[in-house]
Amino acid sequence: MKVRVKFSKYGPLRFIGHLDVMRFFQKAIRRAGIDVVYTHGYSPHQVMSFAAPLGVGLCSLGEYMDVEIASHQGTEDFVRRLQATCPYGIDILGVRMLPEKAGNAMASVAAATYAVAFKDGVRSFDSCQPAVEQLLSQDQVLITKETKRSTAEVNIRPGIYDCKIEDGALVFLVDASSSGNIRPDFVTDAVLALAGLSVDKIDLQTIRLETWLNAGTGEQPDFQPLDAIGETF
């Protein structure tokens, strides 16, 4: 059976890259004594997949991974045992047993919500409200996207689903799918540019609040958390 684990990542561990997070959970699951399923062959590994990788330096309250297990002793036991192996900076928030035909975590990701705030707790994005309204009124928000082979201008406006100021922070919902993933700093930079502000990125803290799947259609999306499907066990 496949289960979907929701976890948070914060504090010093926000500087740990995605591959290190994967390695950590492989070891944590072994230490927790969870009856995880392994692949066959000469180099067996745990059957595990993660949702959209989190950028280094970002915190998150909505990270997900799928793990296939052979047996269990219930939801509370699973969470308790896995949490006991986690250091400060990783919290296991919940686990759900997925339906048999559910897509894996990475393939299910459609969008993500981010909050960006000033680290000093004094400055805020309140003065950027006109810039947010201007951004949402535009048909195009062009950014320069660089790859190893080329550089191109890309319009990210269709993938910005919502943007607002809440409690002094910039909060936005954007495309996070594999085909149209929008980095949060693209939106932050666009708002600051429209507001005529120059801010050092080291002064900002970005948090991923949630990762979403689309239970609707492309034309009429219905965004729900990745753990909206499945059930406790």
Side-chain angles (χ1 to χ4, degrees):
M1 73 187 69
K2 186 187 294 183
V3 298
R4 178 160 294 167
V5 181
K6 183 177 184 178
F7 64 96
S8 61
K9 180 185 174 192
Y10 58 92
L13 290 190
R14 69 184 185 276
F15 297 112
I16 300 299
H18 180 63
L19 290 178
D20 288 324
V21 172
M22 291 176 62
R23 295 187 190 102
F24 161 74
F25 273 110
Q26 289 168 356
K27 295 176 182 178
I29 285 172
R30 287 200 299 269
R31 290 197 300 268
I34 292 170
D35 190 12
V36 64
V37 174
Y38 285 81
T39 60
H40 302 287
Y42 291 106
S43 181
H45 59 272
Q46 296 173 11
V47 180
M48 173 189 296
S49 68
F50 286 75
L54 187 67
V56 174
L58 275 64
C59 298
S60 178
L61 301 177
E63 296 300 285
Y64 294 89
M65 68 172 178
D66 290 351
V67 181
E68 191 166 334
I69 59 175
S71 64
H72 64 81
Q73 297 182 35
T75 302
E76 291 184 5
D77 177 76
F78 186 104
V79 172
R80 177 183 57 79
R81 288 163 65 179
L82 188 54
Q83 181 63 60
T85 68
C86 295
Y88 171 79
I90 298 260
D91 286 338
I92 307 302
L93 303 179
V95 59
R96 307 276 287 180
M97 183 168 62
L98 295 176
E100 188 174 333
K101 296 183 179 180
N104 65 43
M106 181 170 287
S108 300
V109 173
T113 300
Y114 295 91
V116 184
F118 285 92
K119 291 179 181 178
D120 57 23
V122 177
R123 288 174 289 175
S124 77
F125 279 89
D126 288 340
S127 64
C128 295
Q129 183 60 45
V132 169
E133 294 172 2
Q134 184 179 348
L135 177 129
L136 294 176
S137 68
Q138 295 179 165
D139 294 326
Q140 287 191 327
V141 177
L142 298 176
I143 58 99
T144 301
K145 205 165 188 178
E146 296 182 2
T147 66
K148 293 181 179 180
R149 297 184 178 181
S150 64
T151 300
E153 274 198 329
V154 178
N155 177 24
I156 63 171
R157 178 62 187 89
I160 302 175
Y161 304 124
D162 191 23
C163 187
K164 55 190 174 184
I165 310 292
E166 282 189 355
D167 298 324
L170 180 66
V171 180
F172 46 88
L173 172 67
V174 294
D175 188 343
S177 65
S178 57
S179 60
N181 182 49
I182 295 177
R183 283 171 27 191
D185 57 303
F186 289 160
V187 181
T188 306
D189 290 348
V191 170
L192 291 172
L194 289 171
L197 297 176
S198 177
V199 176
D200 196 323
K201 290 185 178 181
I202 200 171
D203 294 331
L204 300 173
Q205 179 62 61
T206 301
I207 301 175
R208 182 186 281 170
L209 299 178
E210 186 56 90
T211 308
W212 309 89
L213 57 82
N214 183 7
T217 64
E219 294 74 24
Q220 293 184 317
D222 176 17
F223 295 122
Q224 299 179 14
L226 256 65
D227 60 351
I229 59 174
E231 58 188 11
T232 57
F233 52 90

